[in-house]
Structures are given as structure tokens and as C-alpha cells.
Amino acid sequence: MTTNKQVIFKDYVSGFPKESDFNFTTTTVDLRVPEGSKSVLVKNLYLSCDPYMRSRMGKPDPSSALAQAYAPGKPIYGYGVSRVIESGHPDYKKGDLLWGIVGWEEYSVITPMAHMHFKIQHTDVPLSYYTGLLGMPGMTAYAGFYEVCSPKKGETVYVSAASGAVGQLVGQFAKMMGCYVVGSAGSKEKVDLLKTKFGFDDAFNYKEESDLTAALKRCFPNGIDIYFENVGGKMLDAVLVNMNMHGRIAVCGMISQYNLENQEGVHNLSNIIYKRIRIQGFVVSDFYDKYSKFLEFVLPHIREGKITYVEDVADGLEKAPEALVGLFHGKNVGKQVVVVARE
């Protein structure tokens, strides 16, 4: 047996989540897996903080298509990078590395499942990348841009929340396609990052714009062909007015709406008809069958330094609630990662 620190979900959340919505506890874990079971004991190295996790914090609603809610009094869970300590599963042995769904704790007992856990084969890149660039957010950017948006060279692309885990990659993929790319973010530091580090053609701070429709018109005098949607609300309204004929909108997230009791309406929907706009929501798990194809595409670009990825690292499991809550206030610069252990 050994001790196991855990981040416990206290109770269902309404409005913005707070650090006080989580507790810390120390329990014990058996370092052996039961005889004959297919379970795997892993030591968690890195945990991923992601906006979708907010949807698991509300009361369960049977009529909703949202992700399954966290259970009060139990550890929360999400994507992480882990090392196998003991295994009863034929596909995993001691010392293997994997990424996938684990508890927010030092050690987790998991039953590996296809499209929920992935063995890590490439270790010549930072392991933390499997919480972001080489994990769920990277796959989200890849599937959303290439599969949902059907981009063509020379098109205009707008990315909201562009410096986040997904947005920073969508912009770089679009530039590699030969598109004109503009991103928005919520601080000068993030806007500078978009232009200097990620190679966006232009970027703006949405908090400094009193008229988002005019801001987009300024950045896209000839209109928007593709919008990668991470924000929703007033931003989506402004985009619809600026979309071109046969424009495509990939709806990845709507972070401006997650903490509202009553979500905002969208008013400019008639543009969808006359401009023949296609709006498609998507969930990354629908595309995990393309993960090996994604790795073949992205790994050479990483090794050649053609793709840049910025992480915001919080050190220690005790920093995890603060890091997660900070996402909803725009405190992270780049992909928010929590280091539980480096080895």
C-alpha cells in the first residue's frame, strides 16, 4: 500500500467554479492489481485542465447531451499522462506510458478502453505534450479544422480563444494550408503570442473592442470563409454577419456560455440561410479512429520545429483546482497543464 493524494469534487456547481468547490484528501492505494483482473495501476505524471470539464460539474440532467457529471465526494477525472506501475491487462506492462482518462490523484486504477486510453510510443517529444498537442486538444484541432472545416488554400480563417490549447494549433494548421488567419484573445500578451510565436497574420484583444462586428470587418474586409468557434455568444453573432457565402463554422466550444445560468441567444441566424453557411458541432471522440493518421502528420512538423506549442504549467497536484478554475477567467497562457510527478 501507499498513500494517494486526491482532488475531490465537493458538490454540483452553478455559475463560475471556485477553488472551494474542491477538497484535498489523502487515502491509500494497493500497489498490486487483483489477480485475474484486466485493470492497470498507473502513476499520474501530468493532468490536463480543459474547458469541457465545466460541463461535468453541473447537476446531472437526463435530457441533456452533456458529458456525464462528476460525483460529489469522489475524485474528479480528465485527461492525463501516466506510467504503468502494475498491470493485469495484456496490452500494458510495467513501465509503459499512456495518455487518457484518469482520476485527479497521484495513482489511478483504470481499465484501459479503446479511444479512452492510448499507449505512448513516441518519447522523443515532451511527455506533457500528450495532454495537449499530441493528445485530446491536438486531435480536436486536427479533426475540427481538416475534417469539419474542409479548408482550401487561400481561404480566410478566424479562430476565437486562439491562444488556448486548441486555438494555437488551428491557426498554425491554417497557415500551413496557405490560409489567411486572424485570432482573438483576451490580453495583450496573448495577442502578441499569436502574431510573433504562432504566425497568425493578425490578432486582436476582444476585451478592447466595443464593436466585435466592426473589429471582424476590419480584420476581414473580404469576409470570413472558416470560423473555428471556441467562444459562442456575442462573438458568434458578430461572426455570422461577417461570414462569406458557403462559409463553414466548426463549433468546438462555447466558453463564454458555460458558467451562465441562462445562456445568451444568437440574433444573426438568418445569415445562415442567405449565405448558405454550414455550422457543425463536433466532439473529438468521434474522430479518435484517425489518431494514428494525426500522429503521422504532426510528429514530423514538431521534430522539424514547424509547429510551436505553448504550455502554462502548474506544479503539484495541490495547484490543480486553481489551474482549472483559472481557465474560466482567462488566466492561462497556452495549454494549462498540472505536473503531478515528473517521473
Side-chain angles (χ1 to χ4, degrees), residues 311-333:
E311 296 176 320
D312 193 327
V313 179
D315 233 314
L317 186 63
E318 63 283 354
K319 291 278 173 46
E322 179 189 358
L324 178 58
V325 167
L327 282 183
F328 303 102
H329 300 280
K331 289 187 177 170
N332 58 304
V333 178

Side-chain angles (χ1 to χ4, degrees), residues 13-318:
V13 172
S14 61
F16 281 83
K18 305 177 292 298
E19 287 178 58
S20 58
D21 291 320
F22 306 93
N23 266 339
F24 277 96
T25 188
T26 301
T27 177
T28 56
V29 64
D30 194 333
L31 291 175
R32 296 157 308 181
V33 295
E35 193 76 34
S37 87
K38 287 196 173 177
S39 56
V40 175
L41 173 73
V42 297
K43 180 178 183 179
N44 296 322
L45 307 178
Y46 299 94
L47 297 175
S48 176
C49 296
D50 297 295
Y52 83 86
M53 296 170 78
R54 175 62 186 86
S55 66
R56 293 189 185 273
M57 296 179 200
K59 267 198 178 133
D61 177 0
S63 67
S64 166
L66 288 176
Q68 187 181 351
Y70 293 132
K74 294 277 201 299
I76 68 165
Y77 51 88
Y79 286 94
V81 173
S82 313
R83 184 184 300 281
V84 175
I85 302 295
E86 189 72 37
S87 174
H89 197 283
D91 297 342
Y92 289 89
K93 63 182 190 300
K94 185 176 178 177
D96 281 351
L97 292 161
L98 63 87
W99 72 268
I101 300 293
V102 292
W104 276 34
E105 53 195 353
E106 291 177 296
Y107 296 91
S108 293
V109 177
I110 60 170
T111 303
M113 294 169 70
H115 296 177
M116 270 179 73
H117 300 96
F118 301 81
K119 193 183 284 192
I120 293 173
Q121 312 282 6
H122 305 276
T123 54
D124 60 325
V125 291
L127 271 184
S128 59
Y129 276 13
Y130 288 93
T131 67
L133 170 51
L134 293 173
M136 181 274 288
M139 193 64 215
T140 301
Y142 176 81
F145 185 63
Y146 291 107
E147 301 285 333
V148 178
C149 294
S150 312
K152 296 189 259 315
K153 185 179 179 180
E155 289 192 311
T156 55
V157 177
Y158 173 50
V159 186
S160 56
S163 68
V166 175
Q168 57 175 296
L169 288 173
V170 175
Q172 292 179 80
F173 292 161
K175 285 305 297 175
M176 285 157 58
M177 277 285 303
C179 297
Y180 178 82
V181 188
V182 178
S184 59
S187 73
K188 182 183 184 304
E189 180 188 8
K190 292 178 183 180
V191 168
D192 288 346
L193 206 57
L194 294 177
K195 293 198 272 196
T196 58
K197 189 124 183 150
F198 301 135
F200 282 62
D201 294 291
D202 202 357
F204 65 92
N205 182 348
Y206 70 89
K207 291 178 182 172
E208 292 179 352
E209 301 291 344
S210 56
D211 184 341
L212 290 172
T213 304
L216 289 170
K217 183 74 182 161
R218 183 180 76 234
C219 293
F220 295 99
N222 299 314
I224 301 168
D225 295 312
I226 289 172
Y227 172 41
F228 200 96
E229 165 70 299
N230 289 312
V231 168
K234 295 180 178 68
M235 187 63 82
L236 177 56
D237 243 346
V239 166
L240 287 168
V241 178
N242 282 281
M243 288 298 287
N244 283 335
M245 292 280 279
H246 302 288
R248 285 88 71 207
I249 299 176
V251 184
C252 171
M254 291 196 173
I255 198 167
S256 74
Q257 306 300 298
Y258 295 159
N259 299 299
L260 302 180
E261 290 291 304
N262 297 302
Q263 296 198 1
E264 294 168 337
V266 178
H267 303 280
N268 295 320
L269 292 172
S270 59
N271 286 279
I272 299 169
I273 308 162
Y274 306 117
K275 294 182 177 180
R276 289 79 153 172
I277 298 167
R278 175 164 61 83
I279 301 181
Q280 184 178 335
F282 74 100
V283 175
V284 65
S285 52
D286 295 344
F287 296 92
Y288 277 149
D289 60 321
K290 294 181 166 56
Y291 182 63
S292 57
K293 184 180 157 196
F294 163 65
L295 286 183
E296 282 171 28
F297 164 77
V298 83
L299 280 166
H301 291 302
I302 297 170
R303 290 171 181 144
E304 291 161 24
K306 288 180 180 169
I307 286 181
T308 303
Y309 203 62
V310 170
E311 296 176 320
D312 193 327
V313 179
D315 233 314
L317 186 63
E318 63 283 354

